[in-house]
Amino acid sequence: MVSKTDDIPASVPNCTAVDLAEDGETPESDRTALKKPCACEHSAAAVVMNGDAGHDQAEEAESKQDGSGDADPGDDGNEQEVIVIQDTGFTVKIQAPGTEPFDLQVSPQEMVQEIHQVLMDREDTCHRTCFSLQLDGNVLDNFAELKSIEGLQEGSLLKVVEEPYTVREARIHVRHIRDLLKSLDPSDAYNGVDCNSLSFLSVFTDGDLGDSGKRKKKGSELEQIDCTPPEHILPGSKERPIVPLQPQNKDWKPLQCLKVLTMSGWNPPPGNRKMHGDLMYLSVVTVEERNVSITASTRGFYLNQSTTYTFNPKPANPSFLSHSLVELLSQISPAFKKNFTALQKKRVQRHPFERIATPFQVYSWTAPQIDHAMDCVRAEDAYTSRLGYEEHIPGQTRDWNEELQTTRELPRKNLPERLLRERAIFKVHSDFAAAATRGAMAVIDGNVMAINPGEETRMQMFIWNNIFFSLGFDVRDHYKELGGDAAAHAAPTNDLNGVRAYGAVDVEGLYTLGTVVVDYRGYRVTAQSIIPGILEREQEQSVIYGSIDFGKTVVSHPKYLELLEKTSRPLKVQRHCVLNEKDTAVELCSSVECKGIIGNDGRHYILDLLRTFPPDLNFLLVEGEELSPESQKQGFPRQHRHRLACLRQELIEAFVEHRYLLFMKMAALQLMQQKANKQSKTAALPESISAESVSDSKPTAAPEASEKASDAATQAFDSPTSSESTLTPEDTAESEAALGHETPTSESQETSATDRSAVPTVTTNGTHEPTIPDSQNGGCDSPLEGKDADDAIPGLAQAKELAESLAADDGSGIDPKSREVVLNACKAVGSISNTSFDIRFNPDIFSPGVRFPEDSAEEIQKQKQLLKDAAAFLVSCQIPSLIKDCLDHTALPMDGATLTEALHQRGFNVRYLGNVLEFVDKMPAKPQLEHVYRIGITELITRCTKHIFKTYLQGVELSALSAAVSHFLNCFLSSFPDAVAHLPADELVSRKKNKRRRNRVPGGGDNTAWASLTPSELWKSITSEALSYYHFTLQCDSADQAVEKYGLQKITLLREISVKTGIQILIKEYNFDSRHKPAFTEEDILNIFPVVKHVNPKASDAFHFFQSGQAKVQQGFLKEGCELINEALNLFNNVYGAMHVEICACLRLLARLNYIIGDHPEALSNQQKAVLMSERVLGIEHPNTIQEYMHLALYCFANGQLSTALKLLYRARYLMLLVCGEDHPEMALLDSNIGLVLHGVMEYDLSLRFLENALSINSKYHGPRSLKVALSNHLVARVYESKAEFRSALQHEKEGYTIYKNQVGEAHEKTKESSEYLKYLTQQAVALQRTMNEIYKNGSNASIMPLKFTAPSMASVLEQLNIINGIIFIPLSQKDLENLKAEVQRRQQLQDSGKAEEHQEDSQLVLDDKLPVDD
């Protein structure tokens, strides 16, 4: 834990209820708002209600107990929770031998061990590892929390006392010293080991930004800034160099402290020396070329008299006995002393975020040539601890399964417990992922013995470090009916998605296996933790639930049914019966493949979750079944490689959400109808009135005006989806007719108020992955999107109450007519219940070999229809919604990964990519989607290439790997027509060549087959793969044609393929277009890394704080929002440690808030952390990192650091050119930023190049009449004005004025501003013309009026920067602010704070990055 660095606040910002109440509101309302996220909100995520049955109070309480172990712990619980987080820190004094005492800020939750870590990191104490901390002579227990230590308080003195060494301590010491010596050496980051990764921010900011004081002067004296960007960054430049991707950091030429430090060949000490206290021997060569031999003994380190060939363990004279190796070496080598001190100074100056390990390994696809230095620890690691025993853990090998399951069982009643639990889960997961990755590589590299060595290589299975490994091949025809090897390859990722889904529901008592899927060198390896006892038994005996032969024999178990029943609602899995081999019905609550095994530890495990979600019928050909017309129009169903294609969880969520709206609309319409009928019979019977009041439970709530109702009716029946096919035309006609006679009355305020609070519980559909914006509602313009439910459709309120009351009691006391309303609505939307909305799917439909009992035939038919509807919904709603989001730039993919993420968020897989591309191709607005089309084509080509590369690599033996990879890349990207493989000139050719026996690898046939690949053959395979897998016709048969036809960049293709396959290449300029020699040689391929997929455990409480904070910010409570987000940051740090993607988002938002509130230095410091973290966790050229660089540049500019701001913007532009090229809507924003800053430093010509490029990109992607174009024109005009070229300025400003006039009207302030500016420009132009005429007339003695040419003020430039970056400051007086707050507060009480979850998500954030300036 690095909680000691100043960057991570040690104490939590104080946000108690009382604090907020000072604004003069009632503390009551505030306190509830505050407590909500702590105690109750987490249950919203864990308790997943499906639809509005969620209002059934009894049910809710019950599911709270199983969902999150928390049945609302009453008020006191909440109070205590808020307080617990806020233990304040205190200061203790530390006294270490040979240093002055110093102060250290600590917090009561910390363990003593964390102080140890801090001391081992501090510059003056970093060389100590073997010591204890003592308070008044008592040794402190390393694992005790500080608050549990008696007598430890503010100002206590802790003494650092040196302890005797043991062998383990001595090894830890040597390892630590090695780490200190290597601390600035980036080779670990390039080699992708020990969770190191690269960061280059400091190269552009000259060290830390925090000390802006020193650099303030530089900023204001403009002359010193060199603003010319490198040639390749200028608009229109065609070259895309790779070398600038990793600028050389001057700190990285590491200071050499020692030539060699290794374990001596005399280890281990013989018996007689052990008894003298010798622990081990080291040999060292100092920089001065002195060879010494060192003994590590229990008392410390000293020189002995051994040499390389004679063993003499006696102490040398002098022996320089020192407790620390550093002290010893400093005495014998002056160069060591000097360089080690300098090195530590530099190490400590680096930002902590450059040094902390990331939770999961990030690999770099490029690296420079690194010298391979001698390193004893690395060498030792390669042979010992890495093969399964890690010396820092008692009991040597870790029992992964036990660790993974025990952390899940930790209590989770209150916040501190949940934090502890989530932290443990996260830690074990990241350790497990790292171990599994290492193991998978060892398996493929041939370092692990198989447990069934007799079988052929593809069938082998392995156990290493208590992890079970299997290869992704179809063993024993297990997947024969499902698509053989293709199915075996897809199954592990499906299984992983299943594990993720069950893990997110988190039901107590149900366990899944730790699962990691690793793709390495063309093989897919699944790593799983091992169920205790499974290896001793036959599989048939141990499976007590599910089927091991895809449904031929099926068994069930009551306990499993009970556990799985709890997951069935959140995962939308329907309980159903299937027939076993004896034709008896067996009840299941999952797919048949899902197996239940009770381990020897008594835990209930489920595994093989590959069919957790129902099949995707668009990719499943079934005899005799017809898909809905929407699917058929798009050419579905299609033949896919395997029969395991299933719908994504996100799609199911969106579909259910969409059906729920439909359900509500229908119920509302029918209620309106009934009302209308009743009111037309004027002589209403008293009973019917009483019935009505029951059904309404609010007699005052009468329906609204008729035109509104008919309006709603058309709305309800317009939305273009397949689901309407379930409504009969008569229905529609009838309801339209009935709506004709309605008496307009006003709806009572009361209903809408009480009702609003109901909305969130209905629509939040619990298990949403946090990254999915919840309001994306199936893309059909549903009237409910973003608005309050009841404002949209009259009668909805009653419908909802009716639905609730039906669910609450068994429907007794509700008149039959209303019940019928719900029944009809349920039937129409395919709900499995007749009294409430509840849609679930049967995952076994269309599974080969699964048979259903006769009596459920009707049920099965319904399920089939539901699946067809879902498949149609995907094609007719979700794909268009993605395209729509791309058109209005709410979705802005920049590379393959971000495009894939956009697809996944909307619930469909990349196998639909061909469809998406065709859809874009046919759009009239295709030019505005060109960037999406280009990224899509790049993704499609590189994915096809990856498929081919996978099988290509399987036939290559290890010694030819680099030659084979470079040959493949040449065929893929080089213009050289006849790429010939360099068969490795064998470095070790033996005389008797014919006797050489090749070492076979799994699946290896003729091992030189790879060499015969040619470019034309490869591109043929790519186009045929595109056709068969994506059903898309690529019109290119070479790399050059692809570049030509689709406007791709070879460098982008290279990046995409390298990232996807784990290739690491040498960073140098490649000449792809030479027709005389191939671009790559085997020396250019440095490494192949694994590509790893695993579950990402979430910090739920922190996330809720984050969401509530975002909601507060949206409502304008910046201060409260800021406090909540700070709180979230603390909790995130608590769970994830200091480095994580979500912390990155948190810091970015915090920086933005600081900036808006006006705290620029704080904004700068938070954004700097966000950039560093994004580089380290996502990668140095990830689209997110590019965005973070842009934000940081803005805050730098605001802080007066102009040259830094420019450097950062140039870096962002370079990265963006590399990742997606110049033609991208985001490039316009970047260029406007650069142009504005250049304008500010009076580089007018350069500025114009960037601004005019931005103008042309904006008019291409936003249309020539967009407000963005108007703004671009205005920015260009301002630069022309500064250059005194008034004619051009006038021309651009007129363009802008016309757009404003047409779009927002004469009266709008923007139009007025523009017209003022036009007048001013005209005056200036006239004045200039007069002066010129004067000069012409009178020659040199003309009296010249001085003209005003002003450089723009920094303030005006900053104002424009804020506008283009979507940051809007609202100038309000204090009084206005108060009123606004009070008003928002009042509304806030009406809509319960649960609303937050509805529209809450990064991409919808009002203040977030992509706020369009247009609307």
Side-chain angles (χ1 to χ4, degrees):
M1 277 276 310
V2 193
S3 54
K4 282 301 137 314
T5 51
D6 332 326
D7 305 84
I8 299 159
S11 63
V12 175
N14 185 12
C15 61
T16 41
V18 197
D19 213 37
L20 297 183
E22 288 167 14
D23 291 3
E25 294 103 4
T26 51
E28 218 17 78
S29 65
D30 257 324
R31 190 169 294 145
T32 47
L34 229 173
K35 274 185 330 219
K36 186 96 177 114
C38 305
C40 326
E41 282 227 297
H42 66 272
S43 57
V47 183
V48 184
M49 292 328 246
N50 190 341
D52 73 314
H55 296 310
D56 170 351
Q57 254 49 60
E59 218 170 310
E60 198 160 24
E62 170 190 303
S63 51
K64 260 188 198 164
Q65 277 153 352
D66 52 55
S68 61
D70 169 20
D72 212 48
D75 252 355
D76 335 325
N78 300 334
E79 285 304 328
Q80 159 242 335
E81 295 207 13
V82 178
I83 296 155
V84 168
I85 322 173
Q86 297 174 29
D87 276 343
T88 42
F90 58 95
T91 312
V92 292
K93 271 199 170 0
I94 306 265
Q95 162 93 63
T99 57
E100 292 296 303
F102 57 87
D103 287 338
L104 183 64
Q105 175 83 22
V106 293
S107 89
Q109 276 92 9
E110 277 174 40
M111 293 189 189
V112 177
Q113 190 168 354
E114 291 175 45
I115 301 184
H116 271 256
Q117 291 298 329
V118 176
L119 293 177
M120 283 162 65
D121 202 53
R122 269 183 73 101
E123 193 183 342
D124 48 2
T125 54
C126 65
H127 56 277
R128 306 185 177 281
T129 59
C130 186
F131 58 86
S132 60
L133 290 169
Q134 301 192 357
L135 175 64
D136 309 331
N138 298 322
V139 177
L140 304 186
D141 168 20
N142 259 349
F143 297 100
E145 289 194 351
L146 297 186
K147 57 179 178 218
S148 66
I149 294 169
E150 274 182 45
L152 184 61
Q153 62 209 31
E154 180 73 34
S156 298
L157 178 71
L158 290 179
K159 281 208 169 108
V160 174
V161 179
E162 296 175 344
E163 294 287 335
Y165 284 98
T166 59
V167 177
R168 176 171 177 272
E169 285 291 349
R171 285 170 65 156
I172 288 175
H173 185 75
V174 173
R175 181 175 287 255
H176 180 66
I177 301 305
R178 187 278 314 233
D179 288 344
L180 292 177
L181 294 177
K182 271 183 60 176
S183 55
L184 292 184
D185 175 17
S187 58
D188 277 358
Y190 287 122
N191 292 329
V193 291
D194 292 341
C195 289
N196 285 311
S197 58
L198 297 165
S199 161
F200 291 102
L201 177 63
S202 54
V203 179
F204 302 98
T205 55
D206 308 322
D208 203 328
L209 290 168
D211 40 8
S212 46
K214 293 182 218 158
R215 251 173 256 115
K216 266 286 160 53
K217 285 208 299 291
K218 225 185 196 169
S220 41
E221 301 160 14
L222 297 177
E223 301 77 66
Q224 302 173 344
I225 300 182
D226 172 28
C227 307
T228 5
E231 212 33 55
H232 61 261
I233 289 178
L234 288 172
S237 157
K238 286 282 165 272
E239 55 168 329
R240 299 278 183 267
I242 309 190
V243 174
L245 178 60
Q246 297 185 346
Q248 282 310 301
N249 193 332
K250 46 187 182 307
D251 280 357
W252 282 358
K253 288 285 156 275
L255 300 156
Q256 199 180 24
C257 301
L258 290 175
K259 286 241 167 100
V260 181
L261 161 69
T262 69
M263 299 292 173
S264 153
W266 298 118
N267 281 322
N272 63 330
R273 289 308 304 170
K274 259 192 186 159
M275 300 168 83
H276 284 82
D278 291 7
L279 302 172
M280 62 182 183
Y281 305 118
L282 307 169
S283 50
V284 170
V285 181
T286 66
V287 181
E288 298 89 350
E289 289 294 338
R290 179 177 170 196
N291 278 306
V292 291
S293 187
I294 297 177
T295 300
S297 75
T298 48
R299 294 166 51 206
F301 295 82
Y302 62 82
L303 297 187
N304 62 34
Q305 297 175 30
S306 302
T307 62
T308 317
Y309 302 114
T310 55
F311 178 59
N312 182 355
K314 295 272 185 293
N317 192 8
S319 71
F320 298 114
L321 172 65
S322 321
H323 191 263
S324 140
L325 189 54
V326 172
E327 290 166 0
L328 169 65
L329 293 169
S330 301
Q331 290 177 59
I332 61 172
S333 162
F336 176 88
K337 187 173 186 175
K338 175 168 154 269
N339 289 350
F340 186 79
T341 319
L343 186 69
Q344 293 323 307
K345 274 216 164 32
K346 268 192 178 161
R347 177 181 69 87
V348 181
Q349 276 164 10
R350 288 177 70 194
H351 195 285
F353 284 3
E354 293 179 74
R355 306 187 277 140
I356 301 169
T358 58
F360 300 104
Q361 184 65 57
V362 177
Y363 299 102
S364 161
W365 63 280
T366 51
Q369 199 68 57
I370 317 164
D371 304 326
H372 193 59
M374 212 177 204
D375 180 343
C376 61
V377 179
R378 186 189 62 221
E380 183 193 31
D381 276 355
Y383 294 113
T384 54
S385 74
R386 297 300 151 113
L387 288 182
Y389 105 100
E390 322 227 328
E391 59 239 28
H392 302 299
I393 291 143
Q396 307 317 330
T397 42
R398 297 177 66 165
D399 182 343
W400 291 111
N401 190 63
E402 188 54 34
E403 285 188 46
L404 288 162
Q405 312 310 349
T406 317
T407 49
R408 284 237 170 250
E409 287 166 348
L410 291 171
R412 41 179 157 176
K413 299 256 186 315
N414 52 26
L415 187 64
E417 285 186 351
R418 282 196 302 279
L419 286 178
L420 201 72
R421 174 175 185 262
E422 285 173 349
R423 178 171 166 181
I425 289 176
F426 183 75
K427 182 80 186 89
V428 175
H429 262 281
S430 56
D431 287 357
F432 178 70
T437 308
R438 260 193 344 246
M441 291 168 72
V443 163
I444 297 300
D445 288 338
N447 296 345
V448 182
M449 173 92 176
I451 51 177
N452 49 347
E455 311 209 20
E456 67 165 298
T457 31
R458 350 176 346 130
M459 302 178 68
Q460 290 180 347
M461 293 173 273
F462 305 83
I463 289 181
W464 177 94
N465 195 352
N466 279 327
I467 306 174
F468 174 77
F469 297 93
S470 52
L471 299 172
F473 293 115
D474 184 10
V475 181
R476 304 193 183 81
D477 288 343
H478 189 61
Y479 291 105
K480 192 173 174 187
E481 291 182 7
L482 298 167
D485 278 349
H489 189 79
T493 43
N494 277 3
D495 184 32
L496 184 65
N497 290 334
V499 170
R500 187 178 290 125
Y502 278 102
V505 179
D506 211 5
V507 168
E508 266 182 62
L510 189 63
Y511 298 90
T512 54
L513 301 182
T515 308
V516 174
V517 179
V518 181
D519 288 302
Y520 178 59
R521 282 182 45 198
Y523 296 95
R524 172 158 283 183
V525 185
T526 311
Q528 291 173 310
S529 62
I530 300 170
I531 299 178
I534 181 106
L535 298 168
E536 294 103 74
R537 311 180 276 199
E538 271 300 303
Q539 202 180 10
E540 284 79 31
Q541 304 162 6
S542 28
V543 173
I544 57 163
Y545 172 88
S547 160
I548 56 171
D549 47 19
F550 290 101
K552 295 184 188 60
T553 52
V554 194
V555 284
S556 186
H557 188 278
K559 179 67 180 164
Y560 271 104
L561 285 174
E562 174 199 330
L563 287 169
L564 288 167
E565 180 62 45
K566 294 176 185 169
T567 65
S568 76
R569 176 166 245 150
L571 298 180
K572 321 272 183 288
V573 175
Q574 192 192 1
R575 201 160 163 159
H576 60 277
C577 290
V578 299
L579 295 177
N580 64 10
E581 73 287 4
K582 303 193 187 72
D583 286 342
T584 45
V586 178
E587 192 173 18
L588 295 176
C589 196
S590 65
S591 69
V592 286
E593 289 85 356
C594 167
K595 303 173 190 34
I597 295 180
I598 300 183
N600 286 356
D601 51 3
R603 295 190 178 106
H604 291 77
Y605 292 93
I606 48 170
L607 53 155
D608 288 352
L609 306 175
L610 52 147
R611 288 208 192 218
T612 302
F613 299 110
D616 177 353
L617 295 194
N618 289 333
F619 283 93
L620 193 67
L621 289 167
V622 183
E623 289 294 307
E625 291 288 343
E626 282 256 314
L627 285 184
S628 57
E630 288 92 344
S631 296
Q632 290 181 354
K633 256 206 312 274
Q634 307 259 0
F636 291 115
R638 291 190 175 156
Q639 186 68 51
H640 197 49
R641 297 270 154 93
H642 54 79
R643 301 179 64 91
L644 290 178
C646 51
L647 297 171
R648 296 185 68 84
Q649 187 171 13
E650 297 93 332
L651 182 87
I652 287 172
E653 300 289 348
F655 178 67
V656 170
E657 184 99 342
H658 166 77
R659 279 293 165 98
Y660 179 68
L661 287 173
L662 217 70
F663 167 78
M664 278 314 194
K665 283 183 216 164
M666 297 189 59
L669 283 172
Q670 291 180 344
L671 279 173
M672 308 296 304
Q673 219 172 306
Q674 286 190 7
K675 285 273 166 60
N677 295 346
K678 277 183 192 161
Q679 282 164 356
S680 58
K681 302 176 194 149
T682 35
L685 299 165
E687 301 95 288
S688 72
I689 295 169
S690 62
E692 185 173 334
S693 61
V694 175
S695 79
D696 260 9
S697 63
K698 286 242 175 12
T700 41
E704 301 202 354
S706 56
E707 66 254 68
K708 244 184 162 178
S710 57
D711 199 57
T714 47
Q715 262 179 326
F717 295 107
D718 276 359
S719 66
T721 58
S722 60
S723 352
E724 261 68 32
S725 56
T726 47
L727 299 176
T728 54
E730 299 95 324
D731 263 1
T732 330
E734 196 181 35
S735 55
E736 300 267 332
L739 286 166
H741 30 250
E742 277 261 341
T743 48
T745 45
S746 71
E747 182 177 320
S748 75
Q749 273 306 153
E750 196 183 356
T751 336
S752 59
T754 49
D755 211 76
R756 260 183 208 151
S757 57
V759 181
T761 22
V762 176
T763 36
T764 33
N765 226 323
T767 53
H768 274 302
E769 290 275 294
T771 46
I772 302 160
D774 288 5
S775 62
Q776 272 155 0
N777 221 319
C780 315
D781 312 306
S782 66
L784 292 201
E785 200 153 336
K787 283 193 289 208
D788 250 340
D790 14 297
D791 304 346
I793 303 180
L796 213 59
Q798 297 94 303
K800 212 167 285 153
E801 286 188 10
L802 171 61
E804 280 168 47
S805 49
L806 267 175
D809 29 72
D810 342 315
S812 48
I814 288 181
D815 80 305
K817 278 216 174 120
S818 310
R819 189 171 303 137
E820 182 192 2
V821 167
V822 173
L823 176 68
N824 290 343
C826 281
K827 270 206 183 114
V829 295
S831 164
I832 58 168
S833 142
N834 285 334
T835 52
S836 67
F837 174 83
D838 189 355
I839 285 189
R840 305 189 196 188
F841 292 88
N842 174 347
D844 282 330
I845 301 278
F846 299 129
S847 291
V850 176
R851 299 169 305 139
F852 299 101
E854 289 295 307
D855 54 8
S856 58
E858 185 191 343
E859 184 56 40
I860 298 301
Q861 209 39 54
K862 264 197 202 159
Q863 280 293 333
K864 287 182 177 173
Q865 189 51 48
L866 200 58
L867 282 179
K868 289 175 189 171
D869 289 350
F873 169 75
L874 191 159
V875 180
S876 62
C877 270
Q878 294 305 78
I879 293 183
S881 103
L882 170 70
I883 308 294
K884 181 176 146 297
D885 288 346
C886 288
L887 259 179
D888 57 25
H889 303 286
T890 42
L892 249 191
M894 250 193 237
D895 67 344
T898 41
L899 177 68
T900 307
E901 198 177 307
L903 266 62
H904 288 174
Q905 276 184 5
R906 286 159 190 80
F908 51 99
N909 291 64
V910 184
R911 58 174 174 268
Y912 284 94
L913 185 58
N915 277 72
V916 174
L917 290 174
E918 272 167 24
F919 198 96
V920 172
D921 210 8
K922 294 191 188 113
M923 297 259 307
K926 185 184 173 193
Q928 296 184 25
L929 289 167
E930 217 165 273
H931 62 295
V932 182
Y933 192 70
R934 194 178 324 102
I935 294 166
I937 293 281
T938 306
E939 181 70 355
L940 190 125
I941 290 178
T942 43
R943 279 184 180 249
C944 293
T945 314
K946 179 184 79 173
H947 297 168
I948 297 160
F949 184 65
K950 195 179 73 198
T951 37
Y952 172 87
L953 268 193
Q954 289 178 8
V956 178
E957 61 175 16
L958 200 47
S959 62
L961 211 49
S962 56
V965 173
S966 64
H967 176 59
F968 186 89
L969 289 178
N970 280 329
C971 293
F972 180 42
L973 291 173
S974 180
S975 305
F976 181 57
D978 34 56
V980 178
H982 300 276
L983 274 170
D986 199 329
E987 296 163 12
L988 317 164
V989 180
S990 62
R991 294 281 146 75
K992 309 182 188 123
K993 192 138 190 258
N994 50 1
K995 293 208 176 145
R996 282 186 59 217
R997 211 180 129 264
R998 287 184 183 281
N999 181 12
R1000 292 293 162 106
V1001 289
D1006 165 19
N1007 288 335
T1008 52
W1010 58 266
S1012 58
L1013 185 72
T1014 65
S1016 59
E1017 200 183 305
L1018 174 61
W1019 277 90
K1020 248 198 219 79
S1021 313
I1022 291 174
T1023 45
S1024 72
E1025 177 75 8
L1027 192 60
S1028 73
Y1029 195 90
Y1030 294 107
H1031 298 264
F1032 186 82
T1033 314
L1034 278 177
Q1035 292 154 341
C1036 53
D1037 51 19
S1038 72
D1040 294 344
Q1041 275 190 7
V1043 169
E1044 190 69 24
K1045 167 107 178 72
Y1046 298 110
L1048 313 180
Q1049 304 187 124
K1050 285 190 173 178
I1051 182 75
T1052 306
L1053 286 168
L1054 176 64
R1055 170 180 177 262
E1056 292 284 355
I1057 190 71
S1058 302
V1059 170
K1060 284 180 179 50
T1061 53
I1063 301 171
Q1064 187 185 50
I1065 58 169
L1066 179 65
I1067 191 160
K1068 68 170 201 192
E1069 296 316 339
Y1070 292 99
N1071 182 359
F1072 296 113
D1073 301 329
S1074 154
R1075 306 198 64 81
H1076 307 297
K1077 63 180 222 299
F1080 299 91
T1081 68
E1082 53 185 281
E1083 296 307 309
D1084 297 330
I1085 310 297
L1086 298 182
N1087 210 336
I1088 287 200
F1089 290 126
V1091 178
V1092 186
K1093 301 181 177 69
H1094 55 81
V1095 178
N1096 272 317
K1098 292 270 176 270
S1100 53
D1101 287 289
F1103 192 70
H1104 285 127
F1105 269 98
F1106 184 57
Q1107 286 194 321
S1108 319
Q1110 279 182 319
K1112 281 273 187 237
V1113 170
Q1114 279 191 330
Q1115 298 148 4
F1117 297 104
L1118 297 187
K1119 183 163 158 280
E1120 291 89 326
C1122 219
E1123 284 175 348
L1124 281 166
I1125 285 164
N1126 265 313
E1127 185 62 62
L1129 186 62
N1130 270 311
L1131 300 185
F1132 277 136
N1133 277 321
N1134 219 320
V1135 173
Y1136 296 140
M1139 282 271 161
H1140 195 273
V1141 188
E1142 285 172 22
I1143 301 182
C1144 189
C1146 215
L1147 285 165
R1148 176 207 300 172
L1149 185 57
L1150 212 48
R1152 203 160 174 112
L1153 286 177
N1154 296 137
Y1155 183 70
I1156 289 170
I1157 292 169
D1159 185 351
H1160 294 177
E1162 191 57 27
L1164 196 58
S1165 133
N1166 277 326
Q1167 187 59 32
Q1168 180 193 14
K1169 289 181 212 162
V1171 175
L1172 284 170
M1173 199 171 298
S1174 184
E1175 286 194 304
R1176 295 280 323 276
V1177 179
L1178 292 167
I1180 51 173
E1181 81 290 347
H1182 190 280
N1184 190 65
T1185 309
I1186 300 176
Q1187 301 252 325
E1188 305 292 7
Y1189 263 100
M1190 283 163 67
H1191 295 317
L1192 184 61
L1194 172 65
Y1195 307 152
C1196 273
F1197 186 89
N1199 266 314
Q1201 304 180 10
L1202 307 194
S1203 61
T1204 307
L1206 262 179
K1207 279 189 207 157
L1208 294 170
L1209 286 169
Y1210 288 155
R1211 170 70 171 171
R1213 192 171 207 276
Y1214 165 72
L1215 292 175
M1216 199 152 160
L1217 287 172
L1218 183 81
V1219 167
C1220 63
E1222 193 162 54
D1223 186 16
H1224 190 282
E1226 194 70 355
M1227 191 56 97
L1229 175 61
L1230 186 46
D1231 282 355
S1232 307
N1233 273 303
I1234 296 176
L1236 272 169
V1237 177
L1238 286 168
H1239 185 194
V1241 298
M1242 302 192 297
E1243 288 276 351
Y1244 300 134
D1245 292 336
L1246 259 181
S1247 169
L1248 270 178
R1249 286 186 72 170
F1250 286 102
L1251 288 175
E1252 288 182 324
N1253 190 47
L1255 173 61
S1256 73
I1257 293 180
N1258 269 334
S1259 40
K1260 170 174 175 181
Y1261 283 111
H1262 293 274
R1265 313 252 52 87
S1266 118
L1267 296 180
K1268 273 200 167 45
V1269 176
L1271 183 59
S1272 267
N1273 270 309
H1274 173 62
L1275 297 179
V1276 173
R1278 285 181 36 157
V1279 183
Y1280 275 122
E1281 178 214 340
S1282 302
K1283 288 180 70 177
E1285 296 182 20
F1286 294 113
R1287 182 168 293 150
S1288 305
L1290 273 165
Q1291 189 188 336
H1292 280 287
E1293 191 54 48
K1294 272 192 190 121
E1295 290 271 318
Y1297 174 70
T1298 323
I1299 296 175
Y1300 282 133
K1301 197 171 82 178
N1302 294 339
Q1303 297 287 348
V1304 292
E1306 293 276 1
H1308 196 277
E1309 57 174 315
K1310 282 280 182 203
T1311 322
K1312 286 181 188 155
E1313 271 173 30
S1314 182
S1315 116
E1316 287 295 307
Y1317 187 55
L1318 274 173
K1319 277 182 205 149
Y1320 165 73
L1321 283 176
T1322 317
Q1323 287 163 5
Q1324 290 291 82
V1326 171
L1328 178 68
Q1329 199 53 49
R1330 273 203 201 113
T1331 313
M1332 299 306 281
N1333 295 346
E1334 175 83 10
I1335 293 175
Y1336 289 134
K1337 213 165 59 198
N1338 300 343
S1340 57
N1341 55 0
S1343 58
I1344 301 177
M1345 285 284 295
L1347 275 174
K1348 293 192 305 212
F1349 291 135
T1350 46
S1353 72
M1354 283 305 148
S1356 76
V1357 173
L1358 188 58
E1359 182 190 354
Q1360 294 296 336
L1361 276 172
N1362 288 331
I1363 292 173
I1364 62 172
N1365 287 298
I1367 292 178
I1368 298 169
F1369 297 94
I1370 313 167
L1372 291 175
S1373 70
Q1374 199 46 45
K1375 189 154 175 275
D1376 288 343
L1377 273 172
E1378 293 301 321
N1379 295 345
L1380 180 76
K1381 275 197 171 177
E1383 170 60 20
V1384 177
Q1385 189 88 18
R1386 194 177 66 72
R1387 290 197 188 157
Q1388 186 53 16
Q1389 285 163 9
L1390 288 179
Q1391 331 169 332
D1392 201 27
S1393 57
K1395 193 81 176 168
E1397 292 181 18
E1398 246 188 306
H1399 343 239
Q1400 228 10 67
E1401 203 19 275
D1402 235 17
S1403 61
Q1404 252 78 26
L1405 183 58
V1406 173
L1407 297 158
D1408 203 50
D1409 326 299
K1410 309 196 181 82
L1411 186 97
V1413 192
D1414 284 349
D1415 356 285

